[in-house]
mmCIF file of all heavy atoms in Angstrom:
data_model
loop_
_atom_site.group_PDB
_atom_site.id
_atom_site.type_symbol
_atom_site.label_atom_id
_atom_site.label_comp_id
_atom_site.label_asym_id
_atom_site.label_seq_id
_atom_site.Cartn_x
_atom_site.Cartn_y
_atom_site.Cartn_z
ATOM 1 N N ALA F 134 10.771 13.093 4.497
ATOM 2 C CA ALA F 134 9.869 13.023 5.718
ATOM 3 C C ALA F 134 9.514 14.375 6.244
ATOM 4 O O ALA F 134 8.418 14.680 6.763
ATOM 5 C CB ALA F 134 10.510 12.169 6.854
ATOM 6 N N GLY F 135 10.541 15.251 6.134
ATOM 7 C CA GLY F 135 10.266 16.670 6.544
ATOM 8 C C GLY F 135 9.319 17.428 5.665
ATOM 9 O O GLY F 135 8.355 18.195 6.187
ATOM 10 N N ILE F 136 9.240 16.991 4.354
ATOM 11 C CA ILE F 136 8.328 17.610 3.447
ATOM 12 C C ILE F 136 6.880 17.024 3.867
ATOM 13 O O ILE F 136 5.854 17.848 3.919
ATOM 14 C CB ILE F 136 8.538 17.234 1.984
ATOM 15 C CG1 ILE F 136 9.775 17.950 1.521
ATOM 16 C CG2 ILE F 136 7.390 17.514 1.171
ATOM 17 C CD1 ILE F 136 10.224 17.498 0.114
ATOM 18 N N MET F 137 6.780 15.809 4.272
ATOM 19 C CA MET F 137 5.484 15.170 4.706
ATOM 20 C C MET F 137 4.990 15.861 5.949
ATOM 21 O O MET F 137 3.805 16.070 6.113
ATOM 22 C CB MET F 137 5.693 13.609 4.884
ATOM 23 C CG MET F 137 6.039 13.051 3.480
ATOM 24 S SD MET F 137 6.738 11.322 3.739
ATOM 25 C CE MET F 137 5.439 10.448 4.403
ATOM 26 N N GLY F 138 5.916 16.208 6.881
ATOM 27 C CA GLY F 138 5.563 16.874 8.061
ATOM 28 C C GLY F 138 4.906 18.212 7.716
ATOM 29 O O GLY F 138 3.941 18.531 8.296
ATOM 30 N N GLY F 139 5.501 18.941 6.970
ATOM 31 C CA GLY F 139 5.194 20.285 6.547
ATOM 32 C C GLY F 139 3.774 20.185 5.743
ATOM 33 O O GLY F 139 2.824 21.001 6.001
ATOM 34 N N TYR F 140 3.673 19.169 4.934
ATOM 35 C CA TYR F 140 2.449 18.944 4.154
ATOM 36 C C TYR F 140 1.288 18.699 5.198
ATOM 37 O O TYR F 140 0.078 19.133 5.066
ATOM 38 C CB TYR F 140 2.510 17.675 3.262
ATOM 39 C CG TYR F 140 1.500 17.634 2.108
ATOM 40 C CD1 TYR F 140 1.681 18.081 0.909
ATOM 41 C CD2 TYR F 140 0.154 17.034 2.417
ATOM 42 C CE1 TYR F 140 0.738 17.862 -0.154
ATOM 43 C CE2 TYR F 140 -0.763 16.898 1.538
ATOM 44 C CZ TYR F 140 -0.459 17.269 0.177
ATOM 45 O OH TYR F 140 -1.429 17.170 -0.767
ATOM 46 N N LEU F 141 1.457 17.892 6.223
ATOM 47 C CA LEU F 141 0.421 17.701 7.164
ATOM 48 C C LEU F 141 0.018 18.873 7.769
ATOM 49 O O LEU F 141 -1.281 18.980 8.182
ATOM 50 C CB LEU F 141 0.990 16.748 8.249
ATOM 51 C CG LEU F 141 0.084 16.337 9.415
ATOM 52 C CD1 LEU F 141 -1.106 15.672 9.062
ATOM 53 C CD2 LEU F 141 0.835 15.571 10.509
ATOM 54 N N LEU F 142 0.888 19.822 8.126
ATOM 55 C CA LEU F 142 0.510 20.966 8.753
ATOM 56 C C LEU F 142 -0.331 21.919 7.933
ATOM 57 O O LEU F 142 -1.301 22.428 8.262
ATOM 58 C CB LEU F 142 1.752 21.763 9.204
ATOM 59 C CG LEU F 142 1.609 23.141 9.944
ATOM 60 C CD1 LEU F 142 0.870 22.817 11.266
ATOM 61 C CD2 LEU F 142 2.789 23.865 10.229
ATOM 62 N N LEU F 143 -0.071 21.933 6.539
ATOM 63 C CA LEU F 143 -0.698 22.966 5.673
ATOM 64 C C LEU F 143 -1.968 22.302 5.026
ATOM 65 O O LEU F 143 -2.904 22.996 4.883
ATOM 66 C CB LEU F 143 0.185 23.355 4.561
ATOM 67 C CG LEU F 143 1.383 24.181 4.910
ATOM 68 C CD1 LEU F 143 2.252 24.469 3.705
ATOM 69 C CD2 LEU F 143 1.096 25.471 5.725
ATOM 70 N N TYR F 144 -2.043 20.983 4.830
ATOM 71 C CA TYR F 144 -3.063 20.295 4.088
ATOM 72 C C TYR F 144 -3.544 19.071 4.767
ATOM 73 O O TYR F 144 -3.452 17.944 4.101
ATOM 74 C CB TYR F 144 -2.591 20.056 2.697
ATOM 75 C CG TYR F 144 -1.996 21.184 1.855
ATOM 76 C CD1 TYR F 144 -0.635 21.088 1.527
ATOM 77 C CD2 TYR F 144 -2.750 22.253 1.451
ATOM 78 C CE1 TYR F 144 0.086 22.213 0.971
ATOM 79 C CE2 TYR F 144 -2.107 23.360 0.803
ATOM 80 C CZ TYR F 144 -0.745 23.308 0.513
ATOM 81 O OH TYR F 144 -0.195 24.297 -0.164
ATOM 82 N N PRO F 145 -4.005 19.114 5.845
ATOM 83 C CA PRO F 145 -4.335 17.858 6.622
ATOM 84 C C PRO F 145 -5.403 17.010 5.990
ATOM 85 O O PRO F 145 -5.456 15.866 6.151
ATOM 86 C CB PRO F 145 -4.728 18.330 8.037
ATOM 87 C CG PRO F 145 -5.086 19.800 7.851
ATOM 88 C CD PRO F 145 -4.280 20.275 6.803
ATOM 89 N N LYS F 146 -6.245 17.659 5.299
ATOM 90 C CA LYS F 146 -7.443 16.990 4.660
ATOM 91 C C LYS F 146 -7.261 16.822 3.208
ATOM 92 O O LYS F 146 -8.310 16.519 2.525
ATOM 93 C CB LYS F 146 -8.758 17.552 5.103
ATOM 94 C CG LYS F 146 -9.046 17.289 6.592
ATOM 95 C CD LYS F 146 -10.477 17.790 6.981
ATOM 96 C CE LYS F 146 -10.782 17.496 8.484
ATOM 97 N NZ LYS F 146 -12.198 17.981 8.774
ATOM 98 N N ALA F 147 -6.198 17.179 2.572
ATOM 99 C CA ALA F 147 -6.042 17.030 1.104
ATOM 100 C C ALA F 147 -6.150 15.516 0.913
ATOM 101 O O ALA F 147 -5.789 14.676 1.665
ATOM 102 C CB ALA F 147 -4.630 17.484 0.679
ATOM 103 N N ARG F 148 -6.783 15.188 -0.245
ATOM 104 C CA ARG F 148 -7.092 13.850 -0.601
ATOM 105 C C ARG F 148 -5.739 13.249 -1.209
ATOM 106 O O ARG F 148 -5.157 13.726 -2.099
ATOM 107 C CB ARG F 148 -8.162 13.680 -1.565
ATOM 108 C CG ARG F 148 -9.571 13.967 -0.932
ATOM 109 C CD ARG F 148 -10.666 13.738 -2.081
ATOM 110 N NE ARG F 148 -10.422 14.697 -3.091
ATOM 111 C CZ ARG F 148 -11.032 14.688 -4.230
ATOM 112 N NH1 ARG F 148 -11.670 13.542 -4.604
ATOM 113 N NH2 ARG F 148 -10.892 15.584 -5.172
ATOM 114 N N ILE F 149 -5.362 11.987 -0.696
ATOM 115 C CA ILE F 149 -4.180 11.304 -1.166
ATOM 116 C C ILE F 149 -4.769 9.910 -1.736
ATOM 117 O O ILE F 149 -5.329 9.180 -1.090
ATOM 118 C CB ILE F 149 -3.115 10.983 -0.094
ATOM 119 C CG1 ILE F 149 -2.805 12.177 0.650
ATOM 120 C CG2 ILE F 149 -1.900 10.223 -0.684
ATOM 121 C CD1 ILE F 149 -2.136 13.223 -0.176
ATOM 122 N N ASP F 150 -4.392 9.636 -3.050
ATOM 123 C CA ASP F 150 -4.911 8.380 -3.578
ATOM 124 C C ASP F 150 -3.851 7.250 -3.294
ATOM 125 O O ASP F 150 -2.614 7.420 -3.502
ATOM 126 C CB ASP F 150 -4.893 8.419 -5.133
ATOM 127 C CG ASP F 150 -6.216 9.127 -5.600
ATOM 128 O OD1 ASP F 150 -6.977 9.353 -4.798
ATOM 129 O OD2 ASP F 150 -6.153 9.651 -6.829
ATOM 130 N N ILE F 151 -4.311 6.228 -2.679
ATOM 131 C CA ILE F 151 -3.550 5.125 -2.139
ATOM 132 C C ILE F 151 -3.748 4.017 -3.131
ATOM 133 O O ILE F 151 -4.837 3.625 -3.422
ATOM 134 C CB ILE F 151 -3.975 4.730 -0.788
ATOM 135 C CG1 ILE F 151 -3.708 5.965 0.269
ATOM 136 C CG2 ILE F 151 -3.065 3.543 -0.239
ATOM 137 C CD1 ILE F 151 -2.252 6.477 0.329
ATOM 138 N N LEU F 152 -2.614 3.296 -3.561
ATOM 139 C CA LEU F 152 -2.769 2.088 -4.230
ATOM 140 C C LEU F 152 -2.616 0.903 -3.440
ATOM 141 O O LEU F 152 -1.544 0.792 -2.719
ATOM 142 C CB LEU F 152 -1.782 1.989 -5.275
ATOM 143 C CG LEU F 152 -1.610 0.736 -6.084
ATOM 144 C CD1 LEU F 152 -2.870 0.398 -6.941
ATOM 145 C CD2 LEU F 152 -0.527 0.733 -7.117
ATOM 146 N N LEU F 153 -3.629 -0.047 -3.281
ATOM 147 C CA LEU F 153 -3.553 -1.218 -2.482
ATOM 148 C C LEU F 153 -3.365 -2.356 -3.426
ATOM 149 O O LEU F 153 -4.240 -2.626 -4.313
ATOM 150 C CB LEU F 153 -4.883 -1.283 -1.721
ATOM 151 C CG LEU F 153 -5.021 -2.602 -0.715
ATOM 152 C CD1 LEU F 153 -3.913 -2.605 0.266
ATOM 153 C CD2 LEU F 153 -6.401 -2.698 -0.124
ATOM 154 N N ILE F 154 -2.413 -3.223 -3.150
ATOM 155 C CA ILE F 154 -2.054 -4.421 -3.948
ATOM 156 C C ILE F 154 -2.171 -5.540 -3.058
ATOM 157 O O ILE F 154 -1.344 -5.668 -2.094
ATOM 158 C CB ILE F 154 -0.725 -4.383 -4.680
ATOM 159 C CG1 ILE F 154 -0.551 -3.041 -5.429
ATOM 160 C CG2 ILE F 154 -0.543 -5.661 -5.421
ATOM 161 C CD1 ILE F 154 0.670 -2.886 -6.121
ATOM 162 N N LEU F 155 -3.114 -6.504 -3.346
ATOM 163 C CA LEU F 155 -3.197 -7.919 -2.566
ATOM 164 C C LEU F 155 -3.195 -8.933 -3.578
ATOM 165 O O LEU F 155 -4.245 -9.377 -4.177
ATOM 166 C CB LEU F 155 -4.548 -7.743 -1.755
ATOM 167 C CG LEU F 155 -4.711 -6.782 -0.710
ATOM 168 C CD1 LEU F 155 -6.138 -6.936 -0.111
ATOM 169 C CD2 LEU F 155 -3.603 -7.029 0.385
ATOM 170 N N ILE F 156 -1.945 -9.437 -3.865
ATOM 171 C CA ILE F 156 -1.753 -10.447 -4.695
ATOM 172 C C ILE F 156 -2.141 -10.050 -6.239
ATOM 173 O O ILE F 156 -1.387 -9.380 -6.878
ATOM 174 C CB ILE F 156 -2.447 -11.840 -4.305
ATOM 175 C CG1 ILE F 156 -1.980 -12.177 -2.827
ATOM 176 C CG2 ILE F 156 -1.884 -12.939 -5.254
ATOM 177 C CD1 ILE F 156 -2.644 -13.446 -2.322
ATOM 178 N N ILE F 157 -3.354 -10.380 -6.671
ATOM 179 C CA ILE F 157 -3.829 -9.988 -7.956
ATOM 180 C C ILE F 157 -4.887 -8.920 -7.837
ATOM 181 O O ILE F 157 -5.574 -8.521 -8.897
ATOM 182 C CB ILE F 157 -4.343 -11.192 -8.782
ATOM 183 C CG1 ILE F 157 -5.538 -11.818 -8.054
ATOM 184 C CG2 ILE F 157 -3.239 -12.205 -9.087
ATOM 185 C CD1 ILE F 157 -6.211 -12.955 -8.822
ATOM 186 N N PHE F 158 -5.175 -8.488 -6.793
ATOM 187 C CA PHE F 158 -6.175 -7.445 -6.545
ATOM 188 C C PHE F 158 -5.563 -6.084 -6.410
ATOM 189 O O PHE F 158 -4.583 -5.877 -5.654
ATOM 190 C CB PHE F 158 -7.052 -7.787 -5.182
ATOM 191 C CG PHE F 158 -8.005 -6.763 -4.967
ATOM 192 C CD1 PHE F 158 -9.192 -6.655 -5.574
ATOM 193 C CD2 PHE F 158 -7.875 -5.783 -3.872
ATOM 194 C CE1 PHE F 158 -10.174 -5.725 -5.348
ATOM 195 C CE2 PHE F 158 -8.663 -4.904 -3.598
ATOM 196 C CZ PHE F 158 -9.939 -4.870 -4.293
ATOM 197 N N PHE F 159 -6.071 -5.200 -7.259
ATOM 198 C CA PHE F 159 -5.561 -3.776 -7.236
ATOM 199 C C PHE F 159 -6.785 -2.908 -6.996
ATOM 200 O O PHE F 159 -7.730 -2.940 -7.582
ATOM 201 C CB PHE F 159 -4.967 -3.324 -8.619
ATOM 202 C CG PHE F 159 -3.689 -4.194 -8.887
ATOM 203 C CD1 PHE F 159 -3.852 -5.421 -9.494
ATOM 204 C CD2 PHE F 159 -2.358 -3.776 -8.676
ATOM 205 C CE1 PHE F 159 -2.795 -6.269 -9.852
ATOM 206 C CE2 PHE F 159 -1.354 -4.496 -9.060
ATOM 207 C CZ PHE F 159 -1.453 -5.782 -9.652
ATOM 208 N N LYS F 160 -6.395 -1.895 -6.093
ATOM 209 C CA LYS F 160 -7.464 -0.981 -5.663
ATOM 210 C C LYS F 160 -6.892 0.456 -5.360
ATOM 211 O O LYS F 160 -5.925 0.495 -4.590
ATOM 212 C CB LYS F 160 -8.290 -1.456 -4.447
ATOM 213 C CG LYS F 160 -9.426 -0.469 -4.033
ATOM 214 C CD LYS F 160 -10.532 -0.338 -5.069
ATOM 215 C CE LYS F 160 -11.606 0.459 -4.339
ATOM 216 N NZ LYS F 160 -12.744 0.735 -5.263
ATOM 217 N N VAL F 161 -7.454 1.519 -6.051
ATOM 218 C CA VAL F 161 -7.035 2.855 -5.694
ATOM 219 C C VAL F 161 -8.179 3.486 -4.983
ATOM 220 O O VAL F 161 -9.293 3.452 -5.391
ATOM 221 C CB VAL F 161 -6.668 3.593 -6.993
ATOM 222 C CG1 VAL F 161 -6.348 5.100 -6.562
ATOM 223 C CG2 VAL F 161 -5.501 2.888 -7.715
ATOM 224 N N PHE F 162 -7.804 4.063 -3.735
ATOM 225 C CA PHE F 162 -8.765 4.737 -2.992
ATOM 226 C C PHE F 162 -8.236 5.941 -2.252
ATOM 227 O O PHE F 162 -7.087 5.950 -1.911
ATOM 228 C CB PHE F 162 -9.482 3.803 -2.037
ATOM 229 C CG PHE F 162 -8.515 3.192 -1.092
ATOM 230 C CD1 PHE F 162 -8.238 3.853 0.217
ATOM 231 C CD2 PHE F 162 -7.873 2.067 -1.358
ATOM 232 C CE1 PHE F 162 -7.400 3.270 1.101
ATOM 233 C CE2 PHE F 162 -6.848 1.531 -0.358
ATOM 234 C CZ PHE F 162 -6.667 2.132 0.716
ATOM 235 N N PRO F 163 -9.091 7.061 -2.219
ATOM 236 C CA PRO F 163 -8.570 8.349 -1.612
ATOM 237 C C PRO F 163 -8.627 8.361 -0.015
ATOM 238 O O PRO F 163 -9.743 7.724 0.501
ATOM 239 C CB PRO F 163 -9.428 9.396 -2.197
ATOM 240 C CG PRO F 163 -10.722 8.731 -2.474
ATOM 241 C CD PRO F 163 -10.448 7.308 -2.844
ATOM 242 N N VAL F 164 -7.725 8.851 0.589
ATOM 243 C CA VAL F 164 -7.812 8.967 2.112
ATOM 244 C C VAL F 164 -7.248 10.439 2.373
ATOM 245 O O VAL F 164 -6.471 10.971 1.725
ATOM 246 C CB VAL F 164 -6.907 7.988 2.856
ATOM 247 C CG1 VAL F 164 -7.481 6.571 2.595
ATOM 248 C CG2 VAL F 164 -5.437 8.168 2.580
ATOM 249 N N PRO F 165 -7.807 11.038 3.589
ATOM 250 C CA PRO F 165 -7.229 12.275 3.934
ATOM 251 C C PRO F 165 -5.778 12.143 4.178
ATOM 252 O O PRO F 165 -5.208 11.254 4.823
ATOM 253 C CB PRO F 165 -8.058 12.678 5.253
ATOM 254 C CG PRO F 165 -9.287 11.768 5.039
ATOM 255 C CD PRO F 165 -8.838 10.533 4.352
#
Side-chain angles (χ1 to χ4, degrees):
I136 292 174
M137 295 163 67
Y140 194 100
L141 175 63
L142 183 62
L143 295 182
Y144 311 108
K146 291 187 179 179
R148 288 180 298 157
I149 309 295
D150 283 348
I151 302 295
L152 174 62
L153 176 65
I154 303 176
L155 296 174
I156 306 177
I157 61 172
F158 176 78
F159 297 84
K160 176 68 174 178
V161 176
F162 58 95
V164 298

